[in-house]
């Protein structure tokens, strides 16, 4: 049984969870598709199993906040799809074949394997601190070299690729739809900066599928085209085909992957499948800048998730990134984290963890169905916490991946309620009472209650505690 979109009545409906909603709200999932450049109603290929592929990390260094964003955005989409459909197969790959990896391993004088294992472990630790659900399958490029070689062989057999100077290149002129995703003509693309120039390529846009073993790095696999290693783009096409088939529902990643990476994936995959598309919906998250400038590891302008986690709870980082709709750019800064923290402090004060509650707030749900509008979902949660705290808590956990701790756990590790401020307020209230200004005294008490602080007047003075 899958989610019933058309039934509307006031009360509760059954999908995998209960969605509490008001009549007239659309519960169809709408997503902006980079391919059509419009917001489309999501129509699955097979509603009993939704298939999604998202490009994962290249494992040579700790992930930064720019890497956290796609992981979080697609985690929210994954959660939403899981609520709506019986099965969701979510593939997020690990790129463990890359010259950056070999260079770093050489610099650190450790084996390639040691570096990638360590980095994958660190990535997983960061992801779980951010409450990111594990994908269904997390394939590594090094474990799919045979699939990659077979894929390249088909491209060569079909004359879509050629060998030159011990490299295998994809012949972009063999693919008519090249540039469709980025909505650019090939002439425009070839004048862009993201192309590597080589005299061995027939066309500047041609990209490498297989590189020969380099004298610099001791890594290579046997193949019909010589000992070597795959280029970057080919692994996603080969692994997506293996786990999701020739055409699947959703392909995601950061906006910077549209060209050349996703354009190249489409060219490779459609050339092999002979179909006109690789995925039906291409979803891209906006980029993250740090203090208004582009985040770049080479320029040292980045902040790792690991460093941030020393100062902020994973839920704070998560909410800070979700306060902006996924497609818009984010300028990441401390203020954003403080805002997110203040919201979480408030929600943890209001939260009611009830294990029997399986009802989702319809306002939050429908906000997310509207092209993952997380800012509007957050607004809806604010009012849900006032009206139905159990439902709000359950919804926040299920759909946004926050409020996973108990109140005690949260305030123990996120001790931010300013005790000085509370003591000061109590002093002011006592003064007001002494002056018989009971209106002022009540106002102060209410202000404290709003912050989740209850005060009690005892014989030994006024004491306070958390609600
Ligand atoms: Zn990819």
């Amino acid at each position: 049984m899958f989610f019933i979109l058309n039934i509307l009545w006031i009360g509760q409906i059954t999908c995998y969870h209960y969605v509490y909603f008001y009549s007239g709200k659309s519960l169809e999932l709408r997503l902006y598709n980079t391919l059509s450049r419009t917001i489309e109603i999501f129509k699955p290929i097979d509603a009993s199993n939704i298939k999604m592929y998202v490009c994962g990390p290249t494992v040579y260094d700790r992930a930064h906040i720019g890497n956290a964003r796609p992981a979080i955005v697609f985690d929210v989409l994954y959660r939403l799809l899981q609520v709506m459909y019986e099965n969701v197969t979510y593939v997020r790959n690990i790129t463990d074949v890359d010259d950056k990896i070999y260079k770093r391993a050489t610099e650190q004088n450790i084996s390639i394997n040691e570096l990638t294992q360590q980095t994958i472990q660190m990535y997983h630790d960061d992801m779980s601190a951010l409450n990111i659900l594990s994908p269904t399958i997390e394939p590594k490029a090094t474990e799919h070299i045979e699939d990659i070689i077979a894929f390249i062989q088909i491209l060569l057999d079909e004359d879509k690729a050629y060998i030159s100077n011990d490299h295998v290149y994809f012949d972009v002129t063999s693919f008519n739809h090249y540039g469709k995703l980025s909505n650019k003509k090939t002439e425009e693309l070839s004048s862009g900066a993201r192309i590597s120039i080589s005299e061995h390529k027939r066309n500047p846009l041609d990209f490498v599928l297989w590189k020969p073993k380099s004298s610099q790095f001791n890594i290579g696999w046997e193949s019909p085209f010589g000992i070597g290693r795959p280029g970057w783009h080919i692994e996603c096409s080969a692994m997506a085909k293996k786990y999701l088939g020739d055409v699947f529902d959703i392909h995601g990643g950061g906006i910077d992957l549209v060209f050349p990476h996703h354009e190249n994936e489409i060219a490779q995959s459609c050339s092999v499948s002979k179909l006109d598309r690789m995925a039906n919906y291409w979803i891209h998250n906006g980029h993250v800048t740090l203090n208004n400038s582009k985040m770049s590891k080479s320029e040292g302008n980045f902040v790792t998730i690991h460093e941030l986690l020393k100062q902020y709870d994973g839920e704070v980082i998560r909410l800070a990134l979700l306060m902006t709709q996924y497609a818009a750019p984010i300028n990441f800064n401390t203020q954003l984290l403080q805002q997110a923290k203040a919201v979480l402090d408030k929600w943890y004060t209001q939260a009611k963890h009830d294990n029997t509650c399986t009802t989702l707030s319809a306002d939050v749900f429908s906000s997310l169905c509207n092209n993952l509008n997380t800012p509007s979902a957050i607004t809806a949660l604010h009012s849900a916490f006032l009206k139905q705290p159990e439902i709000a808590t359950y919804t926040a956990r299920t759909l946004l991946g926050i409020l996973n701790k108990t109140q005690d756990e949260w305030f123990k590790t996120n001790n931010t309620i300013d005790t000085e401020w509370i003591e000061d307020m109590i002093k002011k209230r006592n003064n007001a009472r002494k002056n018989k200004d009971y209106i002022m005294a009540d106002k102060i008490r209410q202000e404290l209650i709003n912050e989740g602080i209850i005060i009690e007047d005892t014989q030994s003075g006024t004491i306070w505690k958390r609600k």
Side-chain angles (χ1 to χ4, degrees):
M1 190 189 78
F2 65 96
F3 189 58
I4 304 156
L5 296 170
N6 301 324
I7 301 174
L8 289 172
W9 83 84
I10 297 170
Q12 296 181 346
I13 62 157
T14 310
C15 50
Y16 286 92
H17 299 251
Y18 290 100
V19 177
Y20 196 85
F21 73 103
Y22 314 104
S23 160
K25 283 228 160 70
S26 166
L27 296 173
E28 281 167 324
L29 173 58
R30 286 160 199 270
L31 294 169
Y32 179 84
N33 190 349
T34 308
L35 199 59
S36 65
R37 291 173 295 284
T38 53
I39 290 181
E40 293 178 29
I41 294 173
F42 176 69
K43 293 198 179 96
I45 296 168
D46 171 7
S48 69
N49 187 9
I50 307 302
K51 294 175 179 177
M52 174 162 83
Y53 187 97
V54 175
C55 298
T58 302
V59 285
Y60 69 103
D61 203 350
R62 284 199 180 276
H64 60 59
I65 192 71
N67 308 123
R69 196 177 187 192
I72 293 170
V73 163
F74 290 101
D75 182 64
V76 171
L77 180 56
Y78 182 40
R79 287 166 183 267
L80 182 64
L81 290 167
Q82 280 184 320
V83 164
M84 298 176 80
Y85 298 96
E86 192 177 348
N87 277 304
V88 184
T89 306
Y90 174 21
V91 180
R92 189 186 66 208
N93 70 307
I94 286 182
T95 300
D96 56 354
V97 176
D98 192 280
D99 286 0
K100 285 197 278 288
I101 297 171
Y102 311 144
K103 203 167 156 257
R104 184 63 59 92
T106 314
E107 281 164 10
Q108 295 190 348
N109 201 20
I110 55 172
S111 74
I112 290 163
N113 203 33
E114 213 177 325
L115 175 67
T116 55
Q117 291 303 320
Q118 275 174 14
T119 315
I120 291 168
Q121 187 55 53
M122 294 189 294
Y123 184 74
H124 285 162
D125 291 346
D126 288 345
M127 293 299 107
S128 68
L130 295 174
N131 295 328
I132 290 164
L133 303 172
S134 300
T136 325
I137 306 161
E138 197 175 39
K140 297 189 188 93
T142 51
E143 289 169 4
H144 295 80
I145 299 292
E146 271 181 41
D147 302 288
I148 292 170
I149 291 171
F151 206 105
I152 296 174
Q153 191 59 59
I154 300 173
L155 291 171
L156 278 168
D157 293 346
E158 298 277 338
D159 259 348
K160 306 284 184 186
Y162 59 92
I163 297 177
S164 167
N165 192 38
D166 298 325
H167 288 65
V168 184
Y169 291 105
F170 184 89
D171 177 4
V172 166
T173 59
S174 75
F175 185 64
N176 286 335
H177 303 299
Y178 199 80
K180 196 176 164 191
L181 184 71
S182 35
N183 194 28
K184 286 203 167 98
K185 295 201 169 65
T186 48
E187 304 83 69
E188 281 176 82
L189 291 172
S190 41
S191 62
R194 305 197 68 179
I195 325 221
S196 67
I197 308 294
S198 160
E199 55 185 300
H200 305 292
K201 292 200 261 184
R202 289 181 193 161
N203 182 309
L205 284 173
D206 292 351
F207 54 91
V208 72
L209 300 171
W210 190 264
K211 298 184 227 187
K213 188 174 168 183
S214 125
S215 53
Q216 222 183 331
F217 313 118
N218 185 27
I219 184 119
W221 289 267
E222 298 260 4
S223 85
F225 358 100
I227 297 178
R229 58 204 198 279
W232 170 33
H233 316 296
I234 192 71
E235 70 177 81
C236 287
S237 283
M239 298 192 290
K241 181 181 166 66
K242 176 163 184 169
Y243 295 106
L244 301 176
D246 284 333
V247 189
F248 49 93
D249 296 296
I250 296 169
H251 193 313
I255 190 78
D256 54 325
L257 295 183
V258 172
F259 179 80
H261 184 55
H262 288 167
E263 202 74 72
N264 293 351
E265 279 188 36
I266 293 173
Q268 295 164 153
S269 293
C270 293
S271 296
V272 165
S273 70
K274 299 193 172 69
L275 297 169
D276 69 342
R277 51 181 55 203
M278 175 186 188
N280 284 337
Y281 303 87
W282 287 80
I283 316 292
H284 293 100
N285 64 274
H287 61 257
V288 182
T289 53
L290 188 65
N291 302 319
N292 285 318
S293 54
K294 188 181 184 314
M295 217 180 294
S296 145
K297 280 189 182 171
S298 53
E299 285 168 34
N301 184 45
F302 68 98
V303 52
T304 63
I305 301 168
H306 182 71
E307 281 303 313
L308 277 177
L309 283 169
K310 288 181 188 166
Q311 296 173 61
Y312 297 95
D313 193 282
E315 295 194 2
V316 172
I317 302 169
R318 204 179 153 101
L319 189 64
L321 290 172
L322 292 174
M323 291 189 309
T324 304
Q325 202 262 357
Y326 76 92
I330 293 183
N331 179 37
F332 199 75
N333 54 45
T334 320
Q335 212 186 346
L336 211 59
L337 289 159
Q338 281 162 353
Q339 272 173 29
K341 179 141 194 333
V343 171
L344 283 164
D345 282 341
K346 183 175 161 233
W347 285 350
Y348 265 105
T349 310
Q350 298 169 320
K352 264 198 188 146
H353 287 88
D354 173 359
N355 290 336
T356 60
C357 177
T358 53
T359 303
L360 292 168
S361 151
D363 286 348
V364 177
F365 181 78
S366 66
S367 297
L368 294 179
C369 283
N370 179 19
N371 195 25
L372 291 188
N373 193 336
T374 49
S376 121
I378 290 167
T379 306
L381 263 180
H382 277 297
S383 34
F385 270 110
L386 295 176
K387 286 181 276 182
Q388 296 160 308
E390 302 88 351
I391 290 177
T393 308
Y394 178 71
T395 307
R397 297 179 75 171
T398 309
L399 292 174
L400 295 183
I402 50 174
L403 299 184
N404 293 292
K405 297 183 165 78
T406 64
Q407 235 160 43
D408 280 354
E409 282 167 349
W410 176 262
F411 285 110
K412 222 173 262 169
T413 50
N414 292 274
N415 188 15
T416 48
I417 296 193
D418 191 344
T419 48
E420 248 173 68
W421 176 79
I422 299 169
E423 301 291 351
D424 196 43
M425 291 292 274
I426 290 173
K427 225 181 266 171
K428 277 184 190 158
R429 177 174 166 270
N430 287 341
N431 278 337
R433 275 160 35 112
K434 234 183 259 165
N435 299 332
K436 299 201 165 25
D437 185 354
Y438 298 112
I439 295 171
M440 175 56 87
D442 281 350
K443 212 181 129 202
I444 294 171
R445 177 197 280 267
Q446 190 54 48
E447 216 174 303
L448 284 162
I449 290 172
N450 292 349
E451 294 300 320
I453 305 299
I454 298 169
I455 49 174
E456 221 174 280
D457 298 311
T458 68
Q459 281 178 341
S460 53
T462 308
I463 54 163
W464 63 271
K465 61 178 183 195
R466 287 191 181 98
K467 209 161 36 179

